[in-house]
Amino acid sequence: MNDRQFEEILKLAGGKGNISYVQHDMNTTTLTLSSHTDIEMPRSAESILDVDIRITGDQSYIAIKDEFALLYKRLTDIGVAKDIGGPLQETRRSGKKAFSFLGFISDVFRPLMPVILGAAVLKIVLAIIALINVYSSTDSSSLMESQTFMIFKSIGDSVNYLLPILVAFSTAYRMKSNLYVAAAIGGLMLYPQMTYLLSGQEDVHFLGVPIVSQTSFLSATIWIILAVCASSFLERVVELKEPKVMKGILAPALTFLILIPLVLMVLGPFGTWVNQQFPDIINSLLNDAPTVTIMLMAALMSILMIAGLHYLLVPIMINELMTNGFSLIIPAILVAFVAQSGASLAAGLRTKEAEFRKLAFWATGTALLGAPEPAMYAVNMRRKWSFFSAMAGGAVGGLYFGISSVKALVIGGAGSLLDIPFYIEADTLNLLHTCIGLLLAFAVSGALTYCLGGRASHNQHV
């Protein structure tokens, strides 16, 4: 959103004084105008993408595609009032896509991308410094154990640590529910006593129901989003019937007293079952059909990450290294991340939106270096053909890895190209097969994303 485009929008709206209020919803900024008598699309407004003018009775609206809320922010910054009511159904453009859960998750993560990308860049820089230090210094532990390095590492890790709260807050913003109740839901898994209970030192039961001893599982993206959505629904139902004396108090009280315990009681047995069965299933599949297992894991890694199941792979990887001296799972993670980067790059090349292109290119780099969240959540999930192309690329690369028996000899950053030296095995072609599989995953996911993106764009204009 440059200055010329902003001026054209103000001209189209009849000036700042003619804008009653502005609203941002469903990737669209809607301007409600005081008068529509002077609305006329200027010739130079061709630079404004996807403008929809609606006149309903005496009320007029201008809806403009604004995925990153840049226009909305500029209008509110110059003093245009925000709409405090509900969504304007009249302004929703015809042909709008049906609800997409993947798209909703992407919308939740999109506002978080600046901080996630910033933390990812810091962690990548630290990883590069540590790698250089290992190969250039006789005493690499001095840097890694220094307080300065530990503080920088803590800064980079703080975003992931607080991610449940950030995701909960962003979900509540999308659902137009109480932001602070959502933050409390996300922060539950960070509360010290809760962390201790779920540390795995003892079996945990809540009202007689077993609770999984995996904080990472209960604080996974999908469960936080679903819990906040349920809280938002409860809030709206309660607000319709609650007495004035309990206004703003009853809904949060019921959320804390009933909803959160109910979520724990539903997820508890499921998480316990997954925690017990998942490692056995993976180990059995690796023993009986390693090639198919690696292919499926590389394809479905993004789903595992959404559900928080990827954390359960860590003990399996450690056991692999201790038992066999190598791991087959670590290569599956690496090839899945590279596939996400290929799809992100292609999505950036295909789009005409400058902001999205910049995000996609940055996300491509971070995914190649072990931080796939920006590529996965903010880029590929926004377009299902990009997300599924990344899964297909991961499947192809994983299949090649399985056929070639690609092995990782060390646990490094788990999914970063900086870990390539850990695939060097004497008197074998393990490193060569690793590079070929990664190139296949990157090329397949990128090519599919670019081709399917072009077809989707064509269908939208037919």
Side-chain angles (χ1 to χ4, degrees), residues 250-285:
L250 185 58
L254 292 177
T255 297
F256 295 140
L257 185 63
I258 299 175
L259 181 61
I260 297 179
L262 182 62
V263 169
L264 291 175
M265 292 177 69
V266 171
L267 289 181
F270 175 68
T272 300
W273 181 84
V274 169
N275 193 35
Q276 294 172 349
Q277 301 297 324
F278 187 73
D280 293 337
I281 293 174
I282 295 298
N283 285 324
S284 177
L285 290 174

Side-chain angles (χ1 to χ4, degrees), residues 59-370:
Q59 192 66 68
S60 55
Y61 312 98
I62 299 177
I64 302 172
K65 187 174 182 181
D66 185 27
E67 287 191 294
F68 294 94
L70 299 177
L71 171 61
Y72 176 77
K73 187 175 185 305
R74 291 196 66 169
L75 288 172
T76 55
D77 285 346
I78 64 173
V80 177
K82 301 178 183 179
D83 173 37
I84 58 175
L88 300 175
Q89 300 295 331
E90 303 92 337
T91 66
R92 294 192 175 181
R93 293 168 288 175
S94 60
K96 185 166 287 293
K97 296 181 179 178
F99 174 79
S100 166
F101 186 66
L102 289 179
F104 181 78
I105 294 177
S106 178
D107 288 339
V108 167
F109 271 88
R110 193 169 66 248
L112 307 179
M113 281 306 108
V115 66
I116 291 178
L117 276 171
V121 170
L122 174 58
K123 293 172 69 174
I124 289 168
V125 170
L126 293 177
I128 293 174
I129 292 174
L131 188 65
I132 294 174
N133 184 71
V134 168
Y135 287 101
S136 63
S137 174
T138 56
D139 184 15
S140 59
S141 62
S142 59
L143 172 66
M144 311 293 282
E145 296 175 358
S146 68
Q147 294 179 341
T148 299
F149 188 88
M150 292 174 64
I151 290 175
F152 273 119
K153 189 174 184 301
S154 298
I155 295 172
D157 291 339
S158 63
V159 173
N160 285 335
Y161 180 77
L162 296 173
L163 193 60
I165 296 177
L166 298 176
V167 168
F169 198 89
S170 183
T171 303
Y173 180 81
R174 293 289 306 172
M175 297 295 296
K176 295 181 171 59
S177 61
N178 192 308
L179 302 177
Y180 307 104
V181 171
I185 294 174
L188 173 64
M189 293 301 112
L190 306 181
Y191 186 66
Q193 191 166 352
M194 194 70 173
T195 303
Y196 171 75
L197 285 174
L198 300 181
S199 62
Q201 299 182 20
E202 57 185 73
D203 294 335
V204 181
H205 292 78
F206 178 72
L207 297 177
V209 176
I211 302 295
V212 59
S213 296
Q214 289 285 344
T215 307
S216 56
F217 175 80
L218 291 174
S219 59
T221 298
I222 182 69
W223 313 129
I224 294 294
I225 290 177
L226 290 177
V228 174
C229 288
S231 171
S232 174
F233 176 77
L234 176 64
E235 180 181 326
R236 292 174 185 176
V237 171
V238 171
E239 284 181 348
L240 294 176
K241 300 181 179 180
E242 65 181 345
K244 290 184 178 180
V245 68
M246 296 293 290
K247 198 74 174 177
I249 299 176
L250 185 58
L254 292 177
T255 297
F256 295 140
L257 185 63
I258 299 175
L259 181 61
I260 297 179
L262 182 62
V263 169
L264 291 175
M265 292 177 69
V266 171
L267 289 181
F270 175 68
T272 300
W273 181 84
V274 169
N275 193 35
Q276 294 172 349
Q277 301 297 324
F278 187 73
D280 293 337
I281 293 174
I282 295 298
N283 285 324
S284 177
L285 290 174
L286 283 174
N287 292 329
D288 298 336
T291 299
V292 175
T293 304
I294 298 306
M295 180 186 71
L296 290 176
M297 290 186 63
L300 301 177
M301 187 56 62
S302 54
I303 305 297
L304 296 179
M305 292 180 65
I306 294 172
L309 299 179
H310 60 301
Y311 292 107
L312 301 180
L313 296 175
V314 176
I316 303 176
M317 292 186 293
I318 295 175
N319 182 66
E320 278 187 302
L321 288 169
M322 294 179 62
T323 304
N324 304 321
F326 60 83
S327 171
L328 299 177
I329 295 178
I330 296 175
I333 297 175
L334 174 60
V335 78
F337 289 2
V338 169
Q340 290 289 339
S341 70
S344 177
L345 177 62
L349 293 173
R350 171 59 72 178
T351 187
K352 295 180 180 179
E353 302 169 28
E355 288 296 323
F356 180 74
R357 183 182 299 112
K358 179 175 68 175
L359 172 61
F361 288 167
W362 271 102
T364 299
T366 59
L368 289 173
L369 296 174

